[in-house]
Amino acid sequence: MRFLLRLASLVALAAAVIAGTIDSIQSVAASAVIMTPMSDAWQDVSPDTLTSLQSALSYYIHPRFYAFIFQWLMLQPAFAVFLVIALLLWMVGYKKPQVSGRFIA
């Protein structure tokens, strides 16, 4: 299970790097800071899954959760959202190193 969590963390980190690279290229081209919101990035990649997730959240979960949390999350920069997801997955899949040495208690 830890392997899958670490693999998912790696994929999220790669997505964050790709999103950050795209934002930096657009920022240099426009001579202004441009950060793509998560909703725009998701809409460009797979609009069907975004609409199905929105409808499922608004139907199965309380509408306040959808209104506040999900919409707030979709307004955040895509690279930041993927970085936070990568960090959380890595923290869950982290294996504490064993203490080894001469004086083990």
Side-chain angles (χ1 to χ4, degrees), residues 20-104:
T21 303
I22 290 171
D23 286 349
S24 64
I25 290 171
Q26 289 177 347
S27 295
V28 168
S31 296
V33 177
I34 295 176
M35 290 186 280
T36 306
M38 185 67 187
S39 61
D40 292 348
W42 198 339
Q43 185 73 25
D44 291 341
V45 173
S46 179
D48 295 333
T49 58
L50 179 62
T51 56
S52 64
L53 179 68
Q54 287 174 342
S55 64
L57 281 178
S58 63
Y59 181 75
Y60 289 112
I61 299 178
H62 199 276
R64 283 191 181 173
F65 174 79
Y66 174 74
F68 293 120
I69 304 299
F70 187 72
Q71 289 184 353
W72 176 82
L73 185 68
M74 290 293 119
L75 293 175
Q76 301 309 312
F79 75 92
V81 173
F82 282 123
L83 280 177
V84 169
I85 291 171
L87 177 66
L88 292 175
L89 289 172
W90 179 80
M91 287 171 49
V92 171
Y94 180 73
K95 182 178 180 182
K96 190 175 180 180
Q98 289 184 341
V99 178
S100 61
R102 185 172 176 184
F103 302 106
I104 299 175

